[in-house]
Amino acid sequence: MSPPGADLAIETFGLVKVFGETRAVDGVDLAVPAGTVYGVLGPNGAGKTTAVKMLATLLRPDGGEARVFGHDVLREADAVRSRVSLTGQYASVDEDLTGRENLILLARLLGHRKPAAKERAAQLLDAFGLTEAADKQVKHYSGGMRRRIDIAASILNTPDLLFLDEPTTGLDPRSRNQVWDIVRAVVQQGATVLLTTQYLDEADQLASRIAVIDQGKVIAEGTKGELKASVGAGSVHVRLRHAEQRPEAERLLTQYLAAQVQLEHDPVALTARVGLAGDGGGAAEQAARALHELSRSGITVDNFSLGQPSLDEVFLALTDHPATGPDRATDPTDPTDPTDPTDPTDPTDPTDSTSPLDPTAARTPVGSGGPSKGPTSKGGAAK
Amino acid sequence: MSTAPTTETRATRASTSDALAPVTAEGLAAVLISKERPPRPSAWTTSLAFGWRAVLKIKHVPEQLFDVTAFPIMMVLMYTYLFGGALAGSTTDYLQFLLPGILVMSVVMITMYTGVAVNTDIAKGVFDRFRTLPIWRPSAMVGYLLGDVLRYAMASAVMLTVGLILGFRPDGGVVGVLAGIVLLMIFSFSFSWVWTMFGLLLRSEKSVMGVSMMVLFPLTFLSNIFVDPKTMPDWLQVFVNNSPVTHLSSAVRDLMDGGWPAVEIAWSLGWSGALVLVFGTITMRLYNSK
C-alpha cells in the first residue's frame, strides 16, 4: 500500500534551483531515512536554505525531483505540507504578536477548536519554559526565547518531518545547548529532523548522517564516522619549543605522515592528519613514529596531542576552504575580518540577498566559538 | 529593520540573564505524545483565524488606527467647509450631499494601506510558516481583508458621528445608513484585492504607496462625490459616469437618503465581483509563486 520510498523521509534526485545566473542548488541527491537527524552542513550561501525551501514546498524546483514521505513536493504539495513543519533561519513567528497568540493562531490554522488551541498553546509554553514570557510580544524576546517559541510552533501538531534551518545561528552557547536538547527530544518521539547548519560541532552533536554541501552540490555524504574516516584516522597536534624549527618539522611530518601539514597562527604549532600513510599501522603508531623522527632531527617538541579528526578538518579536506570564517569563530568582535570565500555577506547568495535582514548585522556566529571537537580550529592556518 | 539588532541586544540582556526555565525531555515528551491531528480546518475557519491576527495587530499597535480616525475626520471637516459655501450655498446643505460621498472616498482611499501591510508583512519569516501549512491558500489574504473591513467600519462610524454632529440628517434612517455602509464594505473588501496584488508585486512599501496614490486620486476625484457630473466636459462625463466609485457613491447616497437604487447597487456589486475575480486571481498567483 505504501508509496515507493515511504521508509525514506526525503528523497531527491538531481534537485536544481537557479536564481538568475546562480545555480543555488545544482543537482542535489539526498536520501534521508525516517526517524533520524540528518545534517546538511555547508557554509553560508551553499544552497542549504534554498534546498530546504524546495522540500518544504516554498520554492518550485527548476529541475529534478523531490519526494517527502513518497509525496512529490510539486504535485502533492498539500500532502507534504500536512506532514512537515518548518523553522526558518529567521524567526518564523509573528513578532508583533505575543508568544501565546502565535501558538493559538497556528493551532487554529491547524484545525484545533478554540478551547483546544488555547490548551495546546499553554501546554507548549509550559514545556518550553516560556509561561512567564507568554504574554509579551515576540519582538521583545531574546534570541534563545525566539528559537524556543519557533520550535514550539513547529511541533504544535507533532510533525513527521521537521526542517530546522540553522536553528542556532546567532545564539549564545547556552541557548544553543538548550536547542540541541530540544532537537534530541523531538527525535526521540519518532520525528525526522532535517537540520541545516554551518557549525560543524552542531552537525557532529546531533546528526547521524551528514551531507556536506558546497556551491549547490553535495560534496560528501555519510555517517559521521565515514566522513571522518575519509580524511584519516585522526590528527596530531604538535607544539615546538623553537619557532625557527617549524619549517623543518613541517617537512618531516609531511614526509612521514604522507599528509598535508597545517601551520597554526601560533608560530610554534602545527597539525597533521594521521592514518593516511599507506603502510598499515594505527594512527597512534604513525604519530609516535613521526614524533620520533622529529626528536631524532634535533627538533624539541614541547607537547603534542592526538585527536579524532573534527568535522572542521573534514570540511577543509573536502573543499579546500574552511567552513566558517575562523577569525570570526574565535573572535566574534573582530572587525577586520579578512576576505574569505565563505564570507556570510557574500552578495552572490540569492537566498540571503532577498532577505530583509542582513544576516551579519544581528547574528554574528558566536556559537561557533563554543566547545569544539578534537584539536582546536585549524581553519585559520589553511588560508 | 535597522533597529532590529539593538532591540535584540536589549531583549537579550533583559531576559536571557534571568535564566529561562530548562526544557526537560519529559516535558517535551508529554507535548509530543499526542500524534492525533485535528481534521483539516475549513476555508472560513482559517480566514477568520487570519482575521483575528489582523485584529491582534491593531490591539498591539493601536497607533495604526490614525488613518481610520483622524484622516476621515479631517476629510469631512475640510471638504464641508471648503466647498460647502461655494457649491451649495450653505455648509449644512452641502453636507447632506457630500457626507455619503466623502465616506466612500475616505474608505476607498484607506484601502491602500492593505497593500502596504501585505508588502511589509510578506517578507517576514512568518509567511514561510503560513505557506507551509496545509490550509486553503487564499485564507492569509482574506484574513487581512477581514481585518481591514473592521478598520473600514471604524472609519465609517467615525465619519458618520462627525457628520451627525455637523448636521447630517439622513432620510433613510438607521436602516438606510447601515445598508449604505454594508455596500461600501463589500466594495472596499473587493477593491482591496488590487492592493494585495500590488503589495505582492512591488518591491518596496514606498512604491506601493506611490502606485496607490496614482490610482486613487483620479479614481476618487473623478466621480460624482463632490459635484454633479453634468457640469463636466462630455469626455470626462463618460469616464465619471462609468466609474465604479460614481456608481458606489450614488448607491450609498441614495440608500442613506431612503431610496432603493437597484441599478446602482447592481453596478457596485458587479464591479466588486469583477475586482475579486481579476485581482484576487492575480494575487493568489503571485502569492503561490512568491
Side-chain angles (χ1 to χ4, degrees):
Chain A
M1 247 337 258
S2 56
D7 50 333
L8 288 177
I10 300 172
E11 209 179 358
T12 74
F13 307 98
L15 200 60
V16 172
K17 183 73 199 180
V18 183
F19 293 108
E21 296 282 288
T22 321
R23 293 180 77 81
V25 172
D26 192 5
V28 165
D29 298 322
L30 288 178
V32 177
T36 62
V37 180
Y38 193 91
V40 174
L41 175 68
N44 258 312
K48 304 186 297 288
T49 300
T50 310
V52 163
K53 284 193 161 182
M54 285 191 279
L55 292 171
T57 75
L58 286 173
L59 275 179
R60 289 178 74 89
D62 292 325
E65 256 187 84
R67 282 203 283 272
V68 172
F69 296 109
H71 299 292
D72 187 277
V73 293
L74 264 185
R75 285 186 298 275
E76 299 166 276
D78 243 28
V80 173
R81 287 182 194 128
S82 67
R83 311 225 12 208
V84 305
S85 240
L86 170 75
T87 297
Q89 199 165 344
Y90 306 103
S92 323
V93 286
D94 194 327
E95 305 212 324
D96 293 333
L97 268 49
T98 68
R100 189 190 306 278
E101 287 164 351
N102 264 296
L103 294 182
I104 294 177
L105 171 67
L106 285 161
R108 296 281 288 142
L109 292 174
L110 288 166
H112 292 275
R113 294 184 177 283
K114 220 168 223 161
K118 279 186 183 163
E119 197 193 310
R120 185 77 181 146
Q123 207 183 6
L124 279 162
L125 287 164
D126 186 47
F128 280 82
L130 289 170
T131 307
E132 262 176 65
D135 297 310
K136 272 196 257 179
Q137 280 174 285
V138 173
K139 65 174 145 204
H140 301 305
Y141 278 24
S142 69
M145 292 158 82
R146 272 166 203 248
R147 280 301 167 193
R148 284 189 181 194
I149 194 77
D150 217 345
I151 297 176
S154 288
I155 61 170
L156 263 166
N157 272 1
T158 312
D160 296 321
L161 171 60
L162 176 61
F163 294 106
L164 291 174
D165 192 11
E166 303 203 5
T168 62
T169 299
L171 291 189
D172 59 68
R174 198 180 52 167
S175 307
R176 185 192 50 180
N177 286 328
Q178 290 170 341
V179 169
W180 288 354
D181 288 342
I182 295 171
V183 175
R184 291 189 187 105
V186 170
V187 176
Q188 250 177 30
Q189 301 304 315
T192 311
V193 173
L194 184 87
L195 169 91
T196 78
T197 181
Q198 48 177 316
Y199 301 131
L200 308 144
D201 55 328
E202 183 159 281
D204 208 354
Q205 287 275 331
L206 295 175
S208 49
R209 284 189 83 84
I210 295 168
V212 184
I213 181 166
D214 190 41
Q215 294 171 5
K217 288 191 165 79
V218 175
I219 53 173
E221 203 271 350
T223 63
K224 275 182 286 192
E226 284 166 3
L227 286 178
K228 288 180 178 178
S230 70
V231 291
S235 293
V236 62
H237 181 76
V238 179
R239 280 181 67 86
L240 309 174
R241 180 160 300 163
H242 308 291
E244 65 273 16
Q245 290 182 330
R246 192 161 78 159
E248 176 65 3
E250 184 187 2
R251 194 186 62 77
L252 285 168
L253 288 176
T254 310
Q255 186 184 335
Y256 284 97
L257 296 172
Q260 188 199 352
V261 174
Q262 292 166 26
L263 302 177
E264 309 273 331
H265 279 312
D266 183 345
V268 296
L270 63 176
T271 297
R273 293 207 296 274
V274 289
L276 295 174
D279 59 354
E285 202 180 313
Q286 279 184 31
R289 257 202 319 265
L291 289 164
H292 178 65
E293 289 301 326
L294 291 184
S295 71
R296 236 178 42 160
S297 312
I299 296 170
T300 323
V301 173
D302 255 1
N303 75 44
F304 72 93
S305 60
L306 181 64
Q308 286 280 306
S310 65
L311 278 171
D312 212 343
E313 288 165 297
V314 174
F315 200 85
L316 197 55
L318 291 167
T319 63
D320 296 325
H321 65 78
T324 43
D327 298 300
R328 225 179 348 267
T330 47
D331 180 11
T333 56
D334 184 5
T336 59
D337 186 42
T339 320
D340 169 337
T342 61
D343 193 328
T345 56
D346 185 1
T348 60
D349 179 3
T351 51
D352 281 347
S353 63
T354 55
S355 160
L357 282 169
D358 177 355
T360 55
R363 292 158 202 268
T364 318
V366 287
S368 63
S372 61
K373 309 277 103 196
T376 45
S377 71
K378 259 91 28 203
K383 284 210 288 196
Chain B
M1 280 301 131
S2 59
T3 57
T6 42
T7 332
E8 191 154 323
T9 354
R10 206 178 332 115
T12 311
R13 230 175 274 136
S15 13
T16 3
S17 46
D18 45 352
L20 282 172
V23 176
T24 61
E26 302 82 61
L28 274 180
V31 294
L32 286 164
I33 206 85
S34 66
K35 280 271 184 188
E36 109 290 349
R37 305 219 166 113
R40 185 184 161 123
S42 69
W44 177 241
T45 308
T46 51
S47 301
L48 269 190
F50 279 112
W52 180 64
R53 168 173 179 258
V55 174
L56 287 174
K57 280 183 180 275
I58 296 174
K59 190 186 98 185
H60 288 299
V61 194
E63 304 91 279
Q64 63 175 295
L65 289 178
F66 190 75
D67 59 331
V68 297
T69 50
F71 174 74
I73 293 176
M74 192 186 81
M75 296 282 277
V76 177
L77 294 178
M78 236 170 57
Y79 288 106
T80 306
Y81 292 108
L82 188 69
F83 294 153
L87 297 178
S90 97
T91 51
T92 321
D93 288 345
Y94 187 53
L95 191 63
Q96 310 305 322
F97 172 80
L98 175 75
L99 195 86
I102 201 80
L103 190 67
V104 167
M105 181 178 187
S106 306
V107 172
V108 169
M109 280 190 136
I110 293 166
T111 58
M112 77 173 177
Y113 291 101
T114 306
V116 177
V118 168
N119 185 270
T120 49
D121 215 20
I122 198 85
K124 290 181 185 159
V126 69
F127 258 85
D128 280 353
R129 188 183 294 283
F130 293 154
R131 297 197 313 129
T132 53
L133 293 174
I135 54 174
W136 184 56
R137 299 291 271 175
S139 46
M141 292 291 142
V142 175
Y144 267 119
L145 300 187
L146 289 178
D148 281 340
V149 166
L150 186 77
R151 285 156 32 87
Y152 307 153
M154 289 174 79
S156 307
V158 167
M159 294 182 77
L160 275 169
T161 309
V162 174
L164 289 171
I165 293 169
L166 295 182
F168 175 61
R169 295 293 175 263
D171 289 339
V174 179
V175 176
V177 169
L178 283 183
I181 289 177
V182 168
L183 186 66
L184 176 58
M185 296 297 108
I186 292 172
F187 179 82
S188 304
F189 171 86
S190 314
F191 189 68
S192 296
W193 288 98
V194 176
W195 309 129
T196 54
M197 179 193 77
F198 280 119
L200 290 170
L201 195 63
L202 299 173
R203 271 199 259 183
S204 75
E205 202 183 323
K206 281 203 183 92
S207 45
V208 175
M209 287 287 257
V211 170
S212 313
M213 279 304 181
M214 265 178 36
V215 174
L216 283 171
F217 260 94
L219 195 67
T220 50
F221 275 90
L222 300 180
S223 69
N224 65 350
I225 287 177
F226 296 106
V227 292
D228 191 333
K230 288 201 184 73
T231 61
M232 300 171 193
D234 292 344
W235 57 268
L236 188 57
Q237 282 192 38
V238 174
F239 178 87
V240 168
N241 287 331
N242 291 297
S243 156
V245 175
T246 300
H247 289 302
L248 178 67
S249 62
S250 306
V252 173
R253 193 178 282 147
D254 215 1
L255 278 169
M256 290 193 175
D257 204 30
W260 181 251
V263 177
E264 299 293 359
I265 292 173
W267 270 109
S268 305
L269 292 178
W271 271 103
S272 303
L275 286 165
V276 174
L277 204 66
V278 174
F279 293 99
T281 310
I282 302 176
T283 296
M284 285 324 297
R285 276 189 167 259
L286 290 170
Y287 179 75
N288 282 329
S289 65
K290 192 85 182 170

